[in-house]
Amino acid sequence: MPRYKPCGGGITARARRNSPSCAKYAVSCAAQHLVLQIGRHRVACDLPASIGMSMRESLDQYLVAEAISAGATFNDGSAVRAIEQDGAVLRVATDGLVASARYVIGADGANGVTARLAGFPSAIERGTAIEAEIMVDDSARGKYDQSALLDFAAVAGGYAWIFGKSDHLSVGVYTIDAAARRDLRPALATFLSGNEDLCKGTVMLQRGHRVPLAGDRASRVLGNVLLAGDAAALADPLTGEGISYAVASGRRAAATVLAALAAGPNMLSSYDDYLRDDLTKDLKFAGIVAGIAYRFPRFGLQLTEDHPGMQSLVAAVISGTEDYRTLAGRLISRSPKLLRYIM
Ligand SMILES: Cc1cc2nc3c(=O)[nH]c(=O)nc-3n(C[C@H](O)[C@H](O)[C@H](O)COP(=O)(O)OP(=O)(O)OC[C@H]3O[C@@H](n4cnc5c(N)ncnc54)[C@H](O)[C@@H]3O)c2cc1C
């Protein structure tokens, strides 16, 4: 730490609700408005709650400092290589040491090893994103000081984004389309070359990363091992938002382990119940909205433009102050024929 993590770094109201640390973190840029576009067709709306724009190297270093001040020991640069059960104890071998524990929480992301080493079945894979960090001139960067842009023409089954950061722009493409996700570089290159500000900029860094979505794993508890965050596959299928679900699952996993230390391992199953029935329950409806929005993006944008109520609802869901259930219900009531495409 600090280390680069490909991520838009958008901190929604949902993430701030789910973690006091995310709520306290001081962002240098925050989007107050959202621009939704398909080519030249643009719809701008105000966000009811800002989306804080972070760089993950800085946010994650802050979270690590919070954990250390709460009593955690942090072994930086020491990768987990093996996990073995030894009676009631788990032995976790890293590059530098072997730690013994009664419970282990794997919060090692989409490319982590805990799930595999602990014997969890492989997760389904549906989401992928690629991001470029781009230096642009001040006037181009200034356009995104308070505004986030999402473009639904850039890729099948997803969108491209432009997020303003303190000294540059983070630009990326996200998709759940099986064919498009094989290689997102052409979609990103076309998006960059079609934007006059971006094509004059300098790409400092470009990286792709998987986005493990809610529904991609059946269970996140096996023996005395729990998975949290991307390792547990919890991200939003419509937007790819994962920070709020990572921090919430991490906190609940820790609380579950404390309960298990006090009352025994049978407490662990409550963690799966929480993830399924509480944390990601609304994301079933995000899947329905994604099915509609990515199949009929022009219809979705037109509906958003024509109905101010729909505009504020979309802005509220994306900023994290409203749930997907309401949005899915509103979409289907506007056009009941949509039901046949999502069942
Ligand atoms: C391009 C892109 C853009 C995104 N934009 C957003 C956004 O704007 N907002 C949002 O909310 N979400 C976004 N997401 C999703 C978000 O990045 C993830 O959901 C989130 O980072 C999950 O956090 P995590 O802590 O579970 O995993 P990670 O952030 O991946 O952290 C896992 C950590 O574990 C470490 N690790 C891995 N293997 C080992 C090992 N063997 N031993 C020890 N440590 C290990 C890694 O080095 C890493 O530090 C985006 C994702 C992508 C790919």
Side-chain angles (χ1 to χ4, degrees):
M1 286 283 168
R3 57 88 181 92
Y4 180 74
K5 156 79 175 79
C7 181
I11 304 175
T12 61
R14 205 176 280 113
R16 296 193 288 270
R17 267 197 316 276
N18 287 350
S19 154
S21 298
C22 280
K24 268 195 304 173
Y25 177 73
V27 291
S28 50
C29 251
Q32 317 287 346
H33 321 282
L34 189 63
V35 176
L36 305 171
Q37 76 174 34
I38 295 182
R40 286 168 191 234
H41 186 179
R42 291 183 144 213
V43 177
C45 34
D46 292 336
L47 292 166
S50 65
I51 302 179
M53 294 300 172
S54 69
M55 286 304 288
R56 287 292 299 277
E57 52 264 52
S58 149
L59 171 66
D60 291 9
Q61 196 172 22
Y62 169 82
L63 294 176
V64 164
E66 290 269 291
I68 291 170
S69 67
T73 302
F74 180 53
N75 291 305
D76 198 6
S78 175
V80 170
R81 302 288 178 200
I83 302 176
E84 277 164 20
Q85 187 84 42
D86 183 1
V89 169
L90 287 154
R91 298 211 193 283
V92 180
T94 72
D95 286 335
L97 82 158
V98 178
S100 299
R102 283 168 62 192
Y103 299 98
V104 167
I105 300 169
D108 45 356
N111 300 328
V113 296
T114 309
R116 181 173 50 78
L117 293 174
F120 282 84
S122 307
I124 308 161
E125 287 186 10
R126 290 181 297 156
T128 305
I130 188 169
E131 183 166 86
E133 309 298 342
I134 304 186
M135 295 305 288
V136 291
D137 62 36
D138 283 350
S139 86
R141 203 198 54 77
K143 291 181 192 169
Y144 301 94
D145 250 352
Q146 300 206 325
S147 191
L149 180 140
L150 308 182
D151 185 311
F152 294 88
V155 67
Y159 66 95
W161 70 86
I162 306 178
F163 288 175
K165 300 295 166 69
S166 56
D167 61 352
H168 72 283
L169 298 175
S170 290
V171 182
V173 175
Y174 162 78
T175 187
I176 53 172
D177 181 85
R181 71 187 287 265
R182 277 187 216 127
D183 186 2
L184 280 174
R185 287 171 296 185
L188 179 61
T190 306
F191 182 66
L192 297 183
S193 63
N195 178 302
E196 62 178 29
D197 293 325
L198 300 177
C199 67
K200 283 188 251 153
T202 306
V203 176
M204 309 300 289
L205 189 62
Q206 179 177 309
R207 289 250 197 102
H209 203 79
R210 287 179 293 135
V211 183
L213 305 179
D216 289 0
R217 266 194 193 287
S219 169
R220 285 83 169 196
V221 180
L222 187 65
N224 287 355
V225 179
L226 297 81
L227 302 177
D230 272 5
L234 300 170
D236 175 333
L238 181 78
T239 61
E241 174 185 1
I243 295 172
S244 55
Y245 304 99
V247 290
S249 60
R251 297 183 76 211
R252 177 57 77 109
T256 306
V257 164
L258 288 176
L261 286 169
N266 57 339
M267 300 305 291
L268 296 187
S269 63
S270 68
Y271 179 61
D272 256 340
D273 297 342
Y274 162 77
L275 296 181
R276 187 188 54 245
D277 302 336
D278 191 341
L279 185 65
T280 65
K281 191 173 179 196
D282 190 48
L283 294 181
K284 279 192 212 110
F285 298 98
I288 291 174
V289 175
I292 297 170
Y294 293 143
R295 191 167 176 132
F296 306 108
R298 286 177 198 284
F299 163 80
L301 191 64
Q302 196 62 56
L303 197 65
T304 310
E305 182 167 36
D306 292 348
H307 300 276
M310 184 64 91
Q311 221 170 89
S312 48
L313 183 54
V314 167
V317 170
I318 290 177
S319 63
T321 59
E322 185 55 88
D323 60 26
Y324 278 107
R325 189 192 181 106
T326 313
L327 179 58
R330 192 81 66 84
L331 273 172
I332 290 162
S333 70
R334 289 261 164 227
S335 186
K337 282 189 200 151
L338 288 171
L339 267 176
R340 85 170 76 129
Y341 295 102
I342 54 179
M343 302 314 276

